[in-house]
Amino acid sequence: MNQERIARRGQFQGVIVSHCPFGQGYNSLIIRFEGIASVTIAKAQPGQFVQVACGPAGITKGTTLRRPFSISGVTLDGDTTCLEIIYRIIGPGTEALANMSVGDMIDVLAPLGQGFKLPKDPDAKCLLLGGGIGLPPMFFLADRLAQQGVDRVGFAAARNIEVVQNDIVAEAIVDNPLVPSKAMKHFNASDTGSIIASDDGSCGFKGNILEALEGFLARHPDWNIATMYACGPEPMLKALALFAQAVDMECQVCMEAYMACGIGVCQSCAIELAGGERSYKLVCAHGPVFNGREIKW
Amino acid sequence: MTDKNVDLGVQFGPLKLANPIMTASGTCGYAFELRDFVDMDRLGAYITKSITLEPRMGNKPQRTYEVASGMMNAIGLANVGLDKFIEEKIPLLEKMNVPVIVNVAGKEVPEYVKVAKEVSAQDCVAGLELNVSCPNVKEGGISFGTDPKLIQELVGSVRQACPDTFLIVKLTPNVTDITVPARAAIDAGANALSLINTFMGLAIDAEKRKPILANRTGGVSGPAVKPMALHMVNRVYNEVAKDAGIPILGMGGITNATDAIEFILAGATGISVGTNVLINPGCLNEIEVGLKEYLIRHHETKLSDLIGKLK
Ligand SMILES: Cc1cc2nc3c(=O)[nH]c(=O)nc-3n(C[C@H](O)[C@H](O)[C@H](O)COP(=O)(O)OP(=O)(O)OC[C@H]3O[C@@H](n4cnc5c(N)ncnc54)[C@H](O)[C@@H]3O)c2cc1C
Ligand SMILES: Cc1cc2nc3c(=O)[nH]c(=O)nc-3n(C[C@H](O)[C@H](O)[C@H](O)COP(=O)(O)O)c2cc1C
Ligand code: FES
């Protein structure tokens, strides 16, 4: 029976074709895959993630757990597929990853988890809300929505501009920071207008992402029927999910949990669900995307 | 010599296995979860996650943590429970082309007995692995596996309820002398022994001055525990199992074929891979290839000739 199945995911090795800074302490890494890997990874959906062996393929295997990263983009190029991740250098795993060079082979499990549910209605409107390291899946989502011709606005929030500085063309921000602009390159790539918010006002709107969203919705009442897609730190997701419930908007959230396998076999990544009795789902298998109402905040 | 001339087959109790490689309970799901990464037909046998009578939510997160050369887990035996296992997972396991061993856990002896009886009655189940590392509720939470009297009571009761079932007893390493529970299990009717389950550990966040795992303590596994695991397998083989004719399923930190060979030389007939499957699921198939290469390189034809052959 195994042979007849077409696997929807797998363990693959690819070659690093680009590795460069995305912002202060953040890198963008692009891996190219061939053959079956290329075909399988080409089917990845926004919101899905990859489990990366953070070291040269074959060397660190067996000594450290993999690290999960959202897919921030997938591009097809002839018979090959390129997959991008954007990661923050924060500990031993991401430090080892940062030491890898263009030309190195890297081992991934991909694509994993359940991605965002995309709107079926071509007239839908989508709000893409990314905070800090929650931005990568939003870039991928923007790209897919663009292919479907769905109306969309990207929101990029960070404590300060340094985090995203290499991706920002500050001059492109128009006078009113709550008007979508071409300031963020990764959103621009899919012709998606973006609103930038920073806690310290160093770039774009001064304030948090919810305040930016509320400001935007006040100016654009026709967007009150939009679907919210959010990824970022948990307090941000909580604020957005509770806001969505209060104003009766749909909100899909992309969650994180400490993972070991990432493929649904070890039960590490439990996330508590809303409702009376204590119950859990697995972030790696049932998520990482959940309806905001499902989660116990 | 080519790999056609080498034989990885082992006799594991009543089971004739094509090779000694098995999954380790709790790291490989209930049935086919790994099939996108592993050719399940090339396993020696498949061992399920621990099944308990009632469904279990498991512990609060954080449930796992990486440590030097390994990991810690305090999953809390999260599982679907007996009824759902029979209803949903057995039909999947019926499609498995290799022998299926179901791992059974519980809080009290009658619970183990009930699960063991019902699971062993399923046609597709070739044997049971009793996880005796669980805390015994009646005895104030001490692990069944650390008290030889409790092991005897537990294994004896399951043996009585399932007289013809191939019964593997999985021992905890958290004891002073591993041969004591090994003997107790064999005396009570075990047909095979699994060694080892995880070592009790504690991980601390110095900044927050708090334990990292919500459960406070957790079990340590992975390459970090391999030397202790090998020592325990070797001791039990030499002092208990060899003479009793009881096969050992060895595990603890196996990542590749060389590790597997080490366990076999120490006295294991079968080997399980746990933690490394979470990292490199493909290793289950890579080990098969590596074992053949080892035999060819050493001009051996039968892997089973190497069991316990540590000089
Ligand atoms: C589905 C998912 C998608 C993610 N996407 C991205 C992404 O696109 N970009 C990015 O930079 N990061 C992402 N992360 C977080 C990333 O996995 C962690 O930052 C990384 O594992 C840290 O590893 P480290 O060894 O460098 O740091 P460590 O020293 O291991 O950890 C540093 C911090 O990260 C936390 N952490 C460690 N492992 C995990 C884990 N498995 N999941 C969540 N937090 C963890 C630790 O608790 C600690 O607070 C994602 C996590 C998940 C679960
Ligand atoms: C995440 C995780 C979950 C586990 N769950 C179980 C379990 O449910 N039942 C059991 O008998 N052993 C369980 N174990 C123990 C393993 O089966 C194995 O005995 C141990 O991890 C040593 O092998 P390893 O070093 O190859 O992982 C678990 C181990 C891990 C890492
Ligand atoms: S990380 Fe192993 S089940 Fe989710």
Side-chain angles (χ1 to χ4, degrees), chain A residues 26-27 47-51 54 65-72 85-96 133-137 231 254-260 269 283-284 287-288, chain B residues 62 65-66 208:
Chain A
Y26 286 65
N27 283 346
Q48 287 191 299
F49 66 100
V50 296
Q51 274 279 64
C54 295
L65 297 176
R66 288 170 187 267
R67 297 293 191 268
F69 300 100
S70 299
I71 301 172
S72 66
I85 61 170
I86 296 172
Y87 66 93
R88 175 178 175 207
I89 305 163
I90 186 176
T94 45
E95 272 159 24
I133 207 51
L135 275 165
C231 186
C254 187
M255 303 299 294
E256 280 192 13
Y258 196 97
M259 291 185 178
C269 59
V283 172
C284 76
Chain B
Q62 183 171 345
Y65 180 61
E66 181 174 300
K208 295 187 187 143

Side-chain angles (χ1 to χ4, degrees), chain A residues 1-3 5-11 51 60-67 92 107 109-110 112 258-272 277-280 282, chain B residues 26-30 32-41 49 57-66 69-71 75 78 95 97 223 255 275-282 286:
Chain A
M1 63 177 292
N2 284 354
Q3 286 72 14
R5 290 180 60 255
I6 297 175
R8 50 197 168 92
R9 54 186 193 169
Q11 181 172 0
Q51 274 279 64
T60 52
K61 264 201 248 173
T63 54
T64 21
L65 297 176
R66 288 170 187 267
R67 297 293 191 268
D107 187 292
L109 308 181
L112 305 178
Y258 196 97
M259 291 185 178
C261 71
I263 56 177
V265 294
C266 77
Q267 306 268 336
S268 283
C269 59
I271 190 162
E272 194 168 350
E277 249 171 69
R278 185 164 67 99
S279 64
Y280 297 106
L282 298 178
Chain B
T27 59
C28 299
Y30 297 102
F32 285 102
E33 288 91 334
L34 286 172
R35 68 177 169 186
D36 291 332
F37 310 98
V38 178
D39 182 348
M40 304 298 284
D41 293 350
K49 173 157 196 62
M57 285 311 146
N59 292 328
K60 295 205 155 132
Q62 183 171 345
R63 293 179 173 182
T64 54
Y65 180 61
E66 181 174 300
S69 291
M71 66 180 285
I75 305 294
K95 301 203 179 97
N97 292 325
T255 66
T275 303
N276 201 242
V277 171
L278 310 180
I279 299 163
N280 179 21
E286 289 165 14

